[in-house]
Amino acid sequence: MFQCIKKNKNVNLIILTYILSSRKSNTFVANSNVLKRLNSIKKYFTNPASILLFVAIIFYWQISSLGFCLKWDMIDAVLPFRYFIGECLQNGHLPLWNPYQFTGIPIYADMQYPLWYPETLLIGSIFGYSNYTLHFLFTFYIFIAGFGVFKLTSFLNVSKNIALLSGIVYMTSGFFVGHAQAMFAIISATWIPYILLFYLKMNKSHNILDALKSAFFMFLLISNGYQTFTIIFGYFLLLIFLFEIISHFLSKDYKNIRLLIKTNFIFFLSTAILSTVIIVSLIQVAPFASRLRNIPPEVALVCPLSPQSLISLLIPFSAIKNPSFFNTDISMTNIFFGIIFLIFFIYSLFQKKKGIFILFALWGVFCLFVAFGEYTPLRMFLYKHIPMMNLFRSPSYFSLFTILTFIILAAKSMSDFFKHKNSNRQIIIGITLGFWITLAFLFVFSATKISIKELSFLNTHLGFKEMMQSSTLSEHIFIHSFIQFILISIFMFSLLKNKNLVKTIMIIVIIEMFISVQLNIHYTGVSVKSPQKLHNKIKNLPKGFPIPQSKKVIENSDISGAFLPVWRNTNTFHKKISYEGFSSFVLDPFLYLSDSFPKLKNAVLNNYPLYLSSQIFSNKTIKQQQDYSQSDLFINENIYKKLSKDKLRHTPTDTVFITSFLPTKIEAIVISKSPQVLTLLQSNYPGWSVLIDGKETKHFTSNHVYISTKIPAGESKIVFIYQNRMVKFAFFVSYSALFLMLILFLLNNTYFKSILSNFAPRKKN
């Protein structure tokens, strides 16, 4: 396909005819300029980056064209998180705290809130976020991911056309389609090829600039990628480092060992400096979030890539039906990377491998078996014995590295296959024949389980959504196995005839990847809802940070504020303080109150966000089964002894009302006849301070979670402020290093150097 584009005889013939038709010299000069322009346009459209961008837009047209709404986590988590950050930045506030979820959480330490990610800070500050923004970002990251694999495989001596095909396969593989609703996974899969590319370059050339580039992309991964991928990939880089050290040691190349250690140290140190703000954030929050310390072993096995899911290697359309059969979530079942690439991957196993390709093969197979979760002992071995492997669930995430390494190995073997004039063709034919028979069997077997006349996708009385819901696993196998059987038959024919094999492979791969995306994307990536309607709804929601409505917190559920397809974290949009939220990051005191004392939790939530009370008790007197009043405050024993000596009293005429509300600063006026306790339904996390009439006052924790302080009789102005100077300083360190690094990259850019040279003073003759 791409060779045809590059050697388009029809285009060249038209250009030549046009020039020859000009008889006058000035016309010929004009036509020469036209030729240059046409050639430049031709080069632009045949450029690998242009082709990959075209693929991202067309293959995922449902998203890029705003034809269908994104779904699941993309709408329920990614959108409200980025929306809130954008709202804060647009109003001139660094969003360290979200008061609307879980009655207040320190979002600067929640890695699902991409606060420290350059994209979020840039777009959030300039434009803010809407659901439209996510559509464009998704398409952008898909394109960037494909380009990364193109550059990586090119560096590994894969021919240009095959490298380009590898990029297309990666960006349309089962991982991206299956996780189309998970921006964290998409971003992780986008930056990993770039880190690997510059890390391999660094180890080969010992160039410090490559070490800094690898560190830069590592920071992008750490600051918004899913931590699971960062941890797994970190161990892969360690294995590559040890592999290189051992290789040089065996060849007694001690000079390169020293250079290798030096550049790897620069890479590690640069990554650490860039990640200063993230490191400080995690250190601060670690004592308050057990989720960051470990998870139970049974949770570590949730959502594996079950052995049944291996059918997705041939027919991914089958892997999004019957989750009970696959024993996992449908987003975790798809590891498709093209049947042609699968054939050449298996072919690569019969070839001798050198250097890093040996490690790629071992790592890819190892990750595949770890991805099986409970079906092999490897995941639990890592959980028990390898640091940080007890911090995450979903073993299926290991499959990303299987897909990436298998694509690299397939691309390398395919490139070598054509470079050496189709050597060992018999092996390719044998592998292809095996898959041809398998697909034929699946087609015939599934045909016996269905009725063609009653095929769901032929039922015109059903709407599109109903068709998807009513279709069966057997129907999916029947449809996709037939398509794959036709494609592999064409490949087999070309293989036997030995005619136009390269072009045939390119066409087949592009067709099969396009069909795979189209068959699966409506199940895992988009819903039938209208993006335009959702966009208009969000535009009409409260802007900025208005004073919360006078409603009890228990009334502000996510469901009560739902506007489909958004039904979680909805109060972040409505600007209402809520006890609910959808995130894996929750503070331990919040969980403790919810799990251990649910009746007390409900009593507390039956208050307004800011309320007065004089009913104090020691934490020692709390009991799980007793009933509670909404005014009950259970506090630390020592604080209770001090306050119980005061004459605290609450009367019906006492009032408190909020006068100003920002995420990190809440102001209120209190009028009370007697001293009593004022409570703000926000988590009492380090960094909060309370000022009464301009003077800082001691505050304490009530009911295990919330901020309380004693207020005097009379009228008082109360200010609750959240500050975190250490994190702000760490942010300054990280982004100062980032800006210096970007300037260095710019100064070393060839194109930028050529621009600067035009402004340099010329020497006089």
Side-chain angles (χ1 to χ4, degrees), residues 1 3 162 165 340 344 414 417-418 421-425 428-429 432 487-509:
M1 174 181 176
Q3 287 180 341
I162 304 301
L165 203 60
I340 305 301
F344 277 94
M414 191 183 296
F417 178 76
F418 293 115
K421 298 181 180 180
N422 306 343
S423 60
N424 297 323
R425 180 184 294 267
I428 297 289
I429 293 173
T432 306
L487 292 175
I488 202 171
S489 296
I490 296 171
F491 174 68
M492 176 75 83
F493 179 80
S494 300
L495 200 60
L496 294 173
K497 292 294 183 179
N498 195 24
K499 290 184 178 180
N500 299 323
L501 190 56
V502 176
K503 293 179 182 178
T504 302
I505 286 177
M506 289 183 168
I507 293 170
I508 291 174
V509 168

Side-chain angles (χ1 to χ4, degrees), residues 331-376:
S331 64
M332 304 290 180
T333 57
N334 193 348
I335 58 169
F336 184 69
F337 57 96
I339 196 166
I340 305 301
F341 264 66
L342 178 61
I343 289 170
F344 277 94
F345 163 69
I346 297 175
Y347 169 73
S348 74
L349 300 179
F350 293 91
Q351 310 302 307
K352 290 184 179 179
K353 296 177 185 59
K354 296 180 181 179
I356 199 67
F357 293 101
I358 299 173
L359 188 60
F360 282 166
L362 294 174
W363 178 252
V365 173
F366 174 78
C367 285
L368 177 62
F369 281 94
V370 178
F372 287 151
E374 63 185 81
Y375 297 95
T376 71

